[in-house]
Every structure is written in structure tokens, then in C-alpha cells.
Amino acid sequence: MVGGNGTIGKRVSTHFSKKHEVIIAGRTSGDVLMDMGDSESIKAMFEKTGKVDAVVCTAGDAKWDKFNSLTEQDFYIGIKSKLMGQVNLVRIGMTYINSGGSFTLSTGILADHPVAMTTSAAMVNGAIHSFVKALALELENNIRINVVSSGLVEDAVDKYEAYFPGHNPIPMKKVVNGFVKSVEGNGNGEIIKMYDNC
Ligand SMILES: NC(=O)c1ccc[n+]([C@@H]2O[C@H](COP(=O)([O-])OP(=O)(O)OC[C@H]3O[C@@H](n4cnc5c(N)ncnc54)[C@H](OP(=O)(O)O)[C@@H]3O)[C@@H](O)[C@H]2O)c1
């Protein structure tokens, strides 16, 4: 679980730990230290973990700012971290995933319902959705890929509420269930949307 100690990640990893062996990866904490923005670091992580049954990502950054303030470099933050970080987790992880295994990525409501200051974050989320749908058509050995797209989660309300006027925070149990559906269900190429159709 990349990002398994984060706001969403710790809820998801706590749940999965009841039934599964969970290996947490992150830049500053976890069982394996790595940076998903660096493909060498992703490869080094998988060399340490060995083969796994599921890869879950609840990490990835993108810069939030007004479009007129975002530089080209600012856009590359989201492209390198949240977009290519997750693409590379799958690309490199394909060698280390067991038959019948799954990849679960994270995006968010911004792909469908952006708010102000999110041209970069919304763009990256949408790209990941297209990536997941396209890759699902090519996967072999019963390997699956899905993405959980959540609205503003309850545990992050204090931090982000001002950006999401009128949005109903998503209960953490519901968010966790999105990941459970992806990992323990049979779906492939699904965008698991955990938010009201606002
Ligand atoms: N919070 C929300 O309401 C919400 C809603 C929908 C979608 N999302 C998306 O869900 C994901 C997780 O959100 P969150 O609120 O749980 O974030 P968070 O609290 O900041 O947690 C992110 C976790 O990922 C790790 N991480 C960050 N960048 C990393 C990198 N480059 N390489 C490896 N690990 C990295 C962090 O640990 P280190 O700092 O130690 O690396 C941290 O444990 C994000 O992509 C976010 O956009 C969030």
C-alpha cells in the first residue's frame, strides 16, 4: 500500500490488516521507504517486497492554484507524482504481481466535478481514469485494475472544506469500502465513485 499511513491510507491499511498481510510504503514512514515520483525507487520497493497479491495506492500530489498562477513546472508536479507515479507503479508492478492479483489506484471527485484552483489535479485524475479503462482491456492472467474516486473524505474536512462548498463529506467507512470492492471483488477497469452525483 503506497501511502498506507496517510489520511485515507491509514483507514484502508487498518481495515486490510485484519485479513491480509499489509506492507506500507511512503517517503517518510512505512515498512518500505520510497518515492512514487521516481521509477527507480518504485523498482527498489518491489525488489524489497517481492511478489504481491495486490498493489493499492493512496498517494500522489498535484499542485492546487489558480490557472493563471500555475506554471508549466507546476503542472509537471501532478503529472510526475499522481499520474506517472501511479502509471509506473502499475508498469513496474506488473512484474511483481501474482496471477489473479489487482492494482487499485486513487483519484477523486475533481475528475467529474472540479472546483476552483484544480485545473492540474482534475486533469491528472481524468487521465488516470482513461488509463485504467484502457489498460483493463489488455490485462492477462486474471490481473485486474480499478481506481477509487472519492469525494472530500470526512477525515480531511478540516483541511479542504473551504475548497468544496456544499459538498457532503464521504464517511471513511464508505471510502474504505471502495478499496475493498476493488481488491476483494471481481471488477476490472472500474472507476469506483464514492460521492454524491453533485
Ligand atoms: N483527502 C481527500 O478528501 C481526498 C479525496 C479524494 C481523493 N484523494 C486523493 O487520495 C490520495 C490520498 O489522499 P490523502 O488525503 O490520504 O493524502 P495524505 O493524507 O497526504 O496521505 C498521503 C500519503 O501518501 C504518502 N505519499 C505522498 N507522496 C508520496 C510519494 N511521492 N511517494 C510515496 N508516498 C507518498 C504520504 O506519506 P509521505 O509524506 O511519508 O510520503 C502519506 O502517507 C491523494 O492522491 C488525494 O488526491 C483525497
Side-chain angles (χ1 to χ4, degrees):
M1 264 206 73
V2 177
N5 280 339
T7 308
I8 295 174
K10 66 176 176 253
R11 295 288 196 152
V12 176
S13 59
T14 300
H15 177 88
F16 280 132
S17 297
K18 292 177 197 159
K19 283 212 298 198
H20 307 279
E21 181 193 353
V22 175
I23 304 166
I24 292 175
R27 288 169 303 188
T28 59
S29 74
D31 305 302
V32 187
L33 297 187
M34 55 81 79
D35 181 350
M36 66 189 273
D38 173 358
S39 48
E40 287 303 317
S41 180
I42 293 175
K43 190 159 190 316
M45 172 190 75
F46 281 120
E47 281 298 307
K48 282 188 197 134
T49 64
K51 288 232 167 190
V52 293
D53 296 315
V55 174
V56 176
C57 181
T58 53
D61 295 328
K63 174 122 182 194
W64 285 43
D65 208 338
K66 290 185 175 158
F67 179 68
N68 284 342
S69 303
L70 287 170
T71 65
E72 180 178 356
Q73 288 308 317
D74 289 336
F75 273 93
Y76 288 137
I77 294 170
I79 290 170
K80 196 160 170 48
S81 173
K82 193 164 182 178
L83 175 56
M84 284 313 296
Q86 296 199 91
V87 170
N88 282 329
L89 266 181
V90 178
R91 198 177 59 76
I92 297 163
M94 207 58 85
T95 307
Y96 299 89
I97 197 96
N98 287 324
S99 294
S102 66
F103 293 95
T104 305
L105 308 185
S106 287
T107 57
I109 189 171
L110 299 173
D112 291 330
H113 303 286
V115 296
M117 305 221 290
T118 60
T119 48
S120 174
M123 176 189 80
V124 160
N125 284 347
I128 295 163
H129 289 181
S130 299
F131 166 73
V132 165
K133 286 196 281 187
L135 178 58
L137 304 175
E138 296 185 25
L139 291 174
E140 296 170 352
N141 301 321
N142 292 322
I143 292 168
R144 301 175 298 106
I145 183 164
N146 300 297
V147 53
V148 177
S149 180
S150 173
L152 171 63
V153 305
E154 264 181 357
D155 284 0
V157 164
D158 289 349
K159 207 166 157 194
Y160 294 112
E161 192 174 33
Y163 296 103
F164 292 92
H167 283 234
N168 295 317
I170 313 303
M172 298 316 292
K173 172 80 183 148
K174 185 169 177 172
V175 178
V176 168
N177 272 340
F179 290 88
V180 173
K181 186 177 186 203
S182 175
V183 174
E184 297 182 356
N186 294 323
N188 186 27
E190 288 185 2
I191 299 164
I192 300 167
K193 295 184 180 178
M194 292 303 187
Y195 50 79
D196 303 335
N197 195 15
C198 50

